[in-house]
Amino acid sequence: REIESSYVESVSPGELMHETIDYMLKQLDPWTVYIPESEVEDYRERSITGQYGGIGSKIRKIENFVVIAEPFKDSPADKAGLIAGDKFVEIAGVSAKSKSTEDVSKVLKGEPNTAVKVLIEREGLAKPFEVEIIREEIKLNSVPYYGLISDSIGYIKTRSFTRKISKEVIDAYKDMNTNNDLKGLVLDLRGNPGGLLNEAISMANIFIDRGKEIVFTKGKIKDWDKSYKARNEAIDTEIPLVVLINRSSASASEIVSGAVQDFD
């Protein structure tokens, strides 16, 4: 209030406070973040249901620009002809240089059936080209792919721990096992940033039997300490299981891989 009323130049109080909060939380750890009220509903939808309005693509930052990392099959980005490596030069007429992936993501997301124009630079082409993308409701399966590596080894790829991931993993396992008599299973959690805690419990419960402790939480407030145990009969406790992780496997992915390792 003092800055707004007395500072020699005009300021945006909302922007100033947002940046201050972000800087303060960076002093804690990389995972404590501030979500403004205006973004809460969108965040909830993406993290819990895996649904949002947008162009349907993974993005990442390379040097000064954000690029397409992977357009999802049949998504608006895919239909518009965008490919991995395409660089966002401008979005909606505004330069995308030095923008973060979060900044770019906010502009690319929006109500289904609305359009966003982007200027794309592609390796091998002499000059950038403009593309108009019509946003759609994007529904991401937590299990984007599963199949057989060989006649008897199954493979399940996961994306994130949204509300239905444990059911999707069970369905994938049963589908492969019904006709193939699986003798081993590879559960791929690479690049899976996690999500819902209860889905991590349910996922581990597929392979770990009822009553066994999957994980416990412990904090400064004793009332928040809690033990989470497998609630149901396991689907398969005997199948040889390989869990793949990497530096981007976090949160619920760590819980599942850790519990599987703890119980051999």
Side-chain angles (χ1 to χ4, degrees), residues 2 49 60 91 123 180:
E2 192 68 21
T49 68
R60 60 180 297 206
I91 304 173
E123 188 173 354
N180 301 283

Side-chain angles (χ1 to χ4, degrees), residues 3-227:
I3 289 173
E4 186 180 16
S5 62
S6 306
Y7 188 63
V8 64
E9 296 176 2
S10 61
V11 297
S12 168
E15 188 175 323
L16 191 64
M17 290 178 67
H18 197 311
E19 289 185 4
T20 304
I21 292 170
D22 286 344
Y23 182 79
M24 175 179 68
L25 296 182
K26 280 181 182 176
Q27 312 310 306
L28 303 179
D29 58 59
W31 305 281
T32 303
V33 295
Y34 170 60
I35 304 171
E37 186 178 11
S38 59
E39 298 175 20
V40 167
E41 199 56 41
D42 178 58
Y43 176 83
R44 241 185 228 122
E45 284 208 351
R46 284 186 286 115
S47 60
I48 295 177
T49 68
Q51 298 180 14
Y52 65 94
I55 70 167
S57 172
K58 284 185 179 180
I59 57 176
R60 60 180 297 206
K61 189 164 185 178
I62 298 180
E63 296 178 346
N64 289 324
F65 288 92
V66 173
V67 304
I68 295 281
E70 176 196 346
F72 304 138
K73 184 173 173 57
D74 296 327
S75 68
D78 187 29
K79 293 173 185 174
L82 299 186
I83 60 175
D86 281 351
K87 181 190 297 182
F88 291 104
V89 179
E90 289 183 3
I91 304 173
V94 178
S95 172
K97 186 175 181 179
S98 300
K99 299 291 186 183
S100 68
T101 54
E102 290 81 8
D103 292 335
V104 170
S105 180
K106 284 178 185 177
V107 182
L108 294 178
K109 288 188 174 71
E111 289 294 318
N113 299 318
T114 58
V116 59
K117 287 185 178 180
V118 297
L119 188 65
I120 296 294
E121 186 178 293
R122 180 176 294 172
E123 188 173 354
L125 296 184
K127 57 182 182 179
F129 59 94
E130 190 175 74
V131 179
E132 183 176 86
I133 309 173
I134 307 300
R135 300 181 182 98
E136 296 177 11
E137 183 179 34
I138 308 299
K139 297 181 180 180
L140 299 178
N141 292 328
S142 295
V143 175
Y145 173 82
Y146 69 89
L148 295 173
I149 296 175
S150 66
D151 291 341
S152 59
I153 305 297
Y155 170 85
I156 300 176
K157 170 66 179 172
T158 67
R159 178 179 278 128
S160 62
F161 281 76
T162 52
R163 193 158 46 201
K164 295 181 179 179
I165 185 171
S166 54
K167 181 183 182 303
E168 290 181 28
V169 169
I170 291 172
D171 290 345
Y173 165 82
K174 288 182 175 178
D175 186 43
M176 290 187 292
N177 195 44
T178 299
N179 300 316
N180 301 283
D181 186 26
L182 291 184
K183 291 183 169 58
L185 182 65
V186 177
L187 182 62
D188 194 346
L189 300 179
R190 290 175 299 177
N192 187 324
L196 300 176
L197 175 61
N198 64 314
E199 285 296 324
I201 312 302
S202 297
M203 169 90 83
N205 194 178
I206 297 171
F207 310 104
I208 297 169
D209 230 339
R210 184 202 300 267
K212 292 187 175 179
E213 185 180 65
I214 305 299
V215 68
F216 65 91
T217 58
K218 190 175 182 180
K220 186 180 290 185
I221 300 172
K222 292 296 180 186
D223 288 347
W224 291 357
D225 293 356
K226 189 171 180 181
S227 172

Side-chain angles (χ1 to χ4, degrees), residues 209-259:
D209 230 339
R210 184 202 300 267
K212 292 187 175 179
E213 185 180 65
I214 305 299
V215 68
F216 65 91
T217 58
K218 190 175 182 180
K220 186 180 290 185
I221 300 172
K222 292 296 180 186
D223 288 347
W224 291 357
D225 293 356
K226 189 171 180 181
S227 172
Y228 296 86
K229 296 181 179 180
R231 296 180 292 267
N232 305 308
E233 295 298 325
I235 302 297
D236 193 332
T237 60
E238 299 298 325
I239 191 168
L241 179 64
V242 170
V243 181
L244 302 180
I245 60 171
N246 61 11
R247 64 186 298 174
S248 299
S249 306
S251 180
S253 292
E254 295 173 287
I255 291 172
V256 171
S257 56

